[in-house]
Amino acid sequence: SQPDHPSFLAALSPAFDLSAIRPVENQKTCTNISVHFTLYGILGVIFFVFLFQWWKNEFISWDPVQCGTDKISLPKEKFWIPDIVINEFMEENKAPSVPYLYLYNDGKIKDTFPVRVVSSCNLNIYTFPFDIQNCSLTFNSYVYYGESLPLNPKTITELSKNVMTTMGEWELVDITAQKLVNNDDMFSVQVRVRRRATMYVVNLLLPSCFLITLDLFSFLLPAESTDRSSFKMTLILGYTVFLLIMNDLLPVTGNTIPLINVFFSLCLALMVASLLETILITNLLSNSADFSPVPRWIRILVLNCLGCLVCMPQKTEKTMSVVAEMKADEGTGTEGPAEEDEALMELKSLSRVLQAIRCEVEQQQNGKQSSEEWIQVGFIIDRLLFGLYIAFISVSFFTIIIVWIKSYNQ
């Protein structure tokens, strides 16, 4: 309520005439400014803030009993106002202005006004979408120095959480304020906000996990079937379209590459590697008979080492050989020399035929063994990639859970 004394405003007129100077009787006296910071809205990098400034005007005081009130609201232009600014302003303050302030009987002045801060917050998006950002708002005066205008910051985290009207994708964690070292006329307010990750998990991570799991189970399809490669190509095409559609949800600013981008790249790389491996397996199963024998280094690396690693050791083949043992009968004494010569010639002819058959059989067996070795190489690579798929999905799943839980415990 306004005071009823008719000469009250007339008594304040001399103080109004001194609105251009700092309201102290001695200019060496400091004017202590108390700044209350209350955050009531977060939208992207835009903060909606209520600022409360307190200071004392030494030129004004009255008796509240005689004047009928202990405070009065008056226009701001009649008083000296401290030039407190926020250094991180990227745009002009577009919040509505408050033309009045409160003047108390002891000379204290309370100035309240909203501020719309478009901040140049340095985002650390490595753990996106489970990131916690620490945005700094620095307050200081451009005209006055610390010895004449010391600032006393006061923040109310719980009050900010209670009056918060909109947070968008952000959740307020806490607000802290501290004076900068060796600089009394400047203080910094640290606003810690946590991103709400549910939307990104549902729209980005879960579909990626579903597609990569579907590609994992495609290994159960017969390797010799062309349906397997067609299925994998369809998955790669679908995953690429999915990334293009969801690209707008990914952050475009920051000093580091987000971990989620690495996850998407690895998923796509595994799908492409799976398709290439399927093409290789199909080629080996279809044309292994025409290949040259398996090189020694592939036999050692793949068949021996990797085969034991994926529990597919090299099979031991039983090689068959045709051995013709020719024994000449000495006869019973009833055969003549002419008959012995004729029998010997027939045996030699039969020996040459058997040797030709033996060489052909050994050649066929070597070709069959080489074909089976190439097929074994393909199956070992197939199972190795299957194991890598399982390991990657398991590690990614537990990493997402751990990072998510850790972000909410901070």
Side-chain angles (χ1 to χ4, degrees):
S1 61
Q2 300 293 334
D4 297 331
H5 201 287
S7 61
F8 184 76
L9 292 178
L12 293 176
S13 298
F16 295 160
D17 297 336
L18 299 176
S19 60
I21 63 173
R22 192 161 54 89
V24 289
E25 296 179 356
N26 187 347
Q27 288 299 313
K28 294 183 179 180
T29 304
C30 295
T31 301
N32 290 299
I33 308 295
S34 296
V35 180
H36 293 244
F37 181 95
T38 303
L39 183 67
Y40 69 94
I42 305 173
L43 188 62
V45 292
I46 302 176
F47 299 97
F48 299 94
V49 180
F50 269 129
L51 287 182
F52 303 86
Q53 297 181 154
W54 295 79
W55 69 94
K56 186 174 183 180
N57 191 321
E58 297 183 0
F59 302 144
I60 300 176
S61 64
W62 72 84
D63 185 358
V65 177
Q66 182 181 1
C67 296
T69 185
D70 61 346
K71 66 179 179 180
I72 184 175
S73 60
L74 295 172
K76 286 185 177 181
E77 63 267 13
K78 295 183 177 295
F79 295 91
W80 173 88
I81 304 295
D83 62 327
I84 306 300
V85 296
I86 301 176
N87 293 332
E88 284 75 15
F89 259 128
M90 299 299 295
E91 290 184 5
E92 181 184 357
N93 181 20
K94 297 180 180 180
S97 60
V98 179
Y100 292 92
L101 51 73
Y102 272 113
L103 176 63
Y104 290 82
N105 65 295
D106 58 354
K108 287 185 178 180
I109 296 177
K110 178 185 177 182
D111 182 20
T112 304
F113 57 94
V115 180
R116 178 181 179 271
V117 183
V118 181
S119 172
S120 58
C121 185
N122 188 15
L123 300 179
N124 182 12
I125 58 174
Y126 178 71
T127 57
F128 174 89
F130 311 107
D131 51 329
I132 296 179
Q133 304 298 338
N134 191 357
C135 296
S136 177
L137 301 178
T138 307
F139 294 78
N140 71 297
S141 171
Y142 282 161
V143 176
Y144 298 96
Y145 296 98
E147 60 271 9
S148 59
L149 196 72
L151 300 179
N152 302 308
K154 294 183 181 180
T155 60
I156 308 175
T157 302
E158 294 301 325
L159 178 59
S160 297
K161 291 183 178 180
N162 293 333
V163 301
M164 189 71 64
T165 57
T166 177
M167 289 187 290
E169 64 174 319
W170 298 100
E171 178 184 358
L172 179 63
V173 178
D174 60 25
I175 303 174
T176 58
Q178 60 181 358
K179 286 190 175 183
L180 300 183
V181 180
N182 299 327
N183 202 340
D184 290 336
D185 64 331
M186 181 180 297
F187 71 91
S188 175
V189 174
Q190 305 293 330
V191 181
R192 296 181 71 238
V193 291
R194 175 172 50 227
R195 195 187 302 269
R196 299 178 184 271
T198 305
M199 180 188 69
Y200 298 98
V201 172
V202 173
N203 292 331
L204 291 177
L205 293 178
L206 284 183
S208 296
C209 292
F210 289 154
L211 289 176
I212 200 72
T213 303
L214 197 60
D215 194 36
L216 170 66
F217 281 98
S218 67
F219 282 92
L220 301 179
L221 295 174
E224 61 274 8
S225 175
T226 56
D227 294 338
R228 181 170 169 180
S229 59
S230 301
F231 181 77
K232 288 182 176 292
M233 283 189 288
T234 304
L235 279 180
I236 292 177
L237 179 61
Y239 191 69
T240 304
V241 174
F242 164 75
L243 292 180
L244 291 176
I245 295 176
M246 294 300 170
N247 186 51
D248 293 337
L249 292 178
L250 297 176
V252 295
T253 58
N255 297 327
T256 58
I257 298 177
L259 198 59
I260 192 173
N261 288 17
V262 179
F263 172 73
F264 290 151
S265 300
L266 289 178
C267 287
L268 187 59
L270 274 178
M271 288 183 176
V272 174
S274 173
L275 177 60
L276 294 177
E277 181 267 343
T278 300
I279 296 174
L280 175 63
I281 293 295
T282 305
N283 186 40
L284 289 177
L285 295 178
S286 302
N287 306 314
S288 58
D290 300 332
F291 292 164
S292 59
V294 178
R296 184 172 180 272
W297 67 272
I298 294 182
R299 185 180 291 108
I300 295 175
L301 177 63
V302 179
L303 296 180
N304 294 338
C305 299
L306 295 181
C308 296
L309 181 63
V310 298
C311 301
M312 293 183 64
Q314 184 179 6
K315 298 179 180 179
T316 57
E317 301 290 341
K318 295 182 178 180
T319 59
M320 301 177 60
S321 61
V322 179
V323 180
E325 297 181 354
M326 310 297 294
K327 295 184 178 180
D329 295 337
E330 295 180 356
T332 57
T334 58
E335 298 178 355
E339 295 176 355
E340 292 179 358
D341 292 340
E342 184 178 355
L344 183 60
M345 294 298 294
E346 291 179 357
L347 289 175
K348 289 182 178 180
S349 176
L350 180 61
S351 175
R352 287 193 294 270
V353 173
L354 291 175
Q355 288 180 357
I357 295 174
R358 177 184 176 182
C359 290
E360 184 176 354
V361 170
E362 288 181 350
Q363 185 177 1
Q364 291 179 356
Q365 287 183 344
N366 291 334
K368 181 180 179 181
Q369 182 179 1
S370 175
S371 175
E372 291 179 351
E373 286 181 346
W374 279 116
I375 294 175
Q376 183 77 357
V377 168
F379 283 136
I380 290 175
I381 296 175
D382 188 67
R383 180 169 292 188
L384 177 64
L385 191 59
F386 180 74
L388 290 177
Y389 250 86
I390 295 177
F392 172 75
I393 292 176
S394 302
V395 171
S396 301
F397 179 75
F398 286 110
T399 301
I400 291 171
I401 292 178
I402 291 173
V403 174
W404 197 350
I405 295 176
K406 185 179 178 181
S407 68
Y408 277 93
N409 290 335
Q410 291 184 354

